[in-house]
DNA sequence: TTTGAAAGTGTATAAATGACACGAAGTTAC
DNA sequence: GTAACTTCGTGTCATTTATACACTTTCAAA
């Protein structure tokens, strides 16, 4: 006695995505603008929506990113599940749900994901209920819809943990980059200054970057050497992690 | 126009708990036995069940642990959300759900938690739909209900990550313990041998253990000195982590 | 009293970390 | 064209940390 399963939205489970980018100077995150609510309240939100009953969570995240920001098929890592019964408490959020959901009062648990992408590859386009989508520097975000601000903080923590175990940057930087840019990337994720010389030494010893013969052009100061990632070394370290610190 | 919210089970979201213990020799995990199904298939499962709509996820986990194993109010960390549409695929699992759920066919996303407890403090008692509850060595578990085996593996990974950043043992060992027991605990979590002398040196330099004047009794060999945890140092390291490796 | 079994201890080598300052190479403004 | 500005790029030393490794001690049991 099987029920026939018709693909349908699950009213109780959503997915939200924290997509990090890097503008060569600071860490940014992709947000959608849901427009002004009559109640006021935050306009900006993480891209996210309810899942369908026939898709798994990763698939849902990728579908939603596509629908809301035109981003396709990227690798996502889970941040965690957020299920406070009061996570939908702001009036502006309730008003907004009235306009987009069939069951706006339903209890919703959300599963958050994060990812790192090259900003240049994903000029986000508005669509669906996102009036616009765009990149905002993480340091300039102070409130978001629902519990999205909290989710962002947890995602930043996860990223900060990850950076200690795996190399980061391949998915955030253009193909050719300078060590200063990589340095700034690490500083903006870790939110603290790192010694320039020690940073360079470490990166080079790890062997994840290869110097090119080219140099930066059009900068009003000494041009920097360009590097690319050494994919084999980078991959190896991504898989195995920095295996330091085995207790 | 508020709907009145009557506390009710959410048919789409469950919580499962991976409770680790340590029998002074190997890592164990708390499982419930749901009894023989007519279809055969695994009898053992992680303690877990659907959540209520008026409780958050952590509360749900604690409630369920209490109901299924008589464990109260412990600190839990999230493993992640598991939402494959086919995670309920074994015939034995479907049969079991028929017997305990109002909507046995519903799509269920589960949020997994893990925790570390002193086995002696929680002689698990059977109750609710758990015929019995008990501790099983993690190395002797080869299949479980639903996707619980996969959840267990991910929980083990999380624990292995955690141990590199924070001290572990306070919640797993009795008040007085030997360094060999702590050593074995680390080896069973990391699943590899650690050099005895280096381990002892490191633990003692961290300052998380304090030697007692007492020694082990009734062992058929040289008795070991007993230690207790230095709570301040342990707490400090739990909060701040081993701040090594700031890139 | 011998045997077995785990406890407990030290050193030397190699590697990683962290702190620190200045000349070089370009552009821009005058 | 020269001075001023900005970022690039580099090395050393002291300290700490990691790793590899073997033998004596202490107790209970046979």
């Amino acid at each position: 006695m099987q029920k026939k399963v018709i693909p349908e939205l699950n009213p109780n489970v959503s997915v939200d995505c924290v997509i990090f980018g890097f503008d060569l100077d600071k860490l940014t995150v992709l947000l959608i603008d849901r427009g002004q609510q009559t109640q006021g309240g935050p306009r900006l939100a993480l891209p996210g929506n309810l899942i369908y009953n026939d898709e798994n969570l990763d698939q849902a995240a990728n579908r939603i990113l596509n629908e809301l920001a035109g981003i396709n098929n990227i690798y996502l890592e889970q941040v965690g599940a957020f299920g406070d019964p009061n996570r939908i408490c702001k009036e502006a959020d309730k008003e907004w749900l009235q306009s987009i959901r069939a069951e706006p009062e339903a209890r919703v648990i959300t599963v958050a994901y994060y990812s790192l992408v090259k900003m240049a590859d994903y000029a986000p386009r508005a669509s669906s209920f996102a009036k616009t989508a765009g990149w905002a520097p993480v340091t300039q975000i102070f409130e978001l819809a629902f519990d999205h601000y909290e989710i962002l903080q947890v995602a930043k923590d996860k990223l900060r943990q990850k950076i200690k175990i795996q190399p980061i940057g391949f998915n955030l930087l253009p193909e050719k980059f300078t060590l200063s840019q990589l340095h700034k990337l690490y500083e903006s994720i870790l939110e603290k200054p790192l010694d320039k010389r020690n940073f360079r030494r470490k990166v080079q010893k790890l062997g994840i970057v290869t110097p090119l013969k080219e140099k930066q052009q059009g900068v009003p100061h000494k041009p920097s050497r360009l590097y690319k990632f050494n994919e084999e070394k980078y991959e190896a370290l991504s898989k195995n992690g920095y295996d330091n610190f085995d207790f």
Side-chain angles (χ1 to χ4, degrees), chain A residues 64-180:
Chain A
I64 289 163
L65 278 176
N66 179 284
E67 289 173 4
L68 292 179
I71 292 180
N72 290 303
N73 203 34
I74 58 176
Y75 174 71
L76 295 151
E77 290 202 31
Q78 219 181 87
V79 178
F82 294 78
D84 192 301
N86 298 315
R87 55 182 291 276
I88 301 170
C89 61
K90 298 170 197 159
E91 289 306 316
D93 295 338
K94 292 181 184 169
E95 177 187 341
W96 191 50
L97 291 182
Q98 295 285 347
S99 70
I100 61 167
R101 294 265 165 93
E103 297 180 45
E105 308 275 358
R107 161 84 183 274
V108 180
I109 283 83
T110 200
V111 179
Y113 282 85
Y114 78 96
S115 187
L116 311 171
V117 305
K118 295 193 218 309
M119 284 175 70
D121 291 359
Y122 300 100
R125 62 151 210 263
S127 48
S128 183
F129 54 68
K131 300 270 188 297
T132 64
W135 297 98
V138 292
T139 54
Q140 288 172 34
I141 298 170
F142 303 106
E143 67 166 0
L144 292 172
F146 309 109
D147 54 356
H148 289 186
Y149 185 77
E150 183 196 344
I151 292 173
L152 174 61
Q153 303 312 312
V154 180
K156 278 166 59 184
D157 284 344
K158 294 268 172 183
L159 180 55
R160 220 172 290 135
Q161 280 177 32
K162 182 193 174 76
I163 208 176
K164 298 200 174 191
I165 295 173
Q166 288 182 8
I168 278 197
F170 192 81
N171 299 309
L172 285 164
L173 288 169
E175 198 190 344
K176 299 171 184 177
F177 55 88
T178 72
L179 290 189
S180 296

Side-chain angles (χ1 to χ4, degrees), chain A residues 14 22 26 35-36 53 68 72 88 140 147 157-158 168 185 187 205 216 225 231-232 247:
Chain A
S14 67
F22 183 62
K26 39 197 179 333
Q36 182 74 48
N53 269 334
L68 292 179
N72 290 303
I88 301 170
Q140 288 172 34
D147 54 356
D157 284 344
K158 294 268 172 183
I168 278 197
L185 171 59
E187 288 189 326
K205 183 157 44 64
Q216 234 181 353
R225 158 156 268 111
E231 290 196 43
E232 296 102 68
F247 195 75

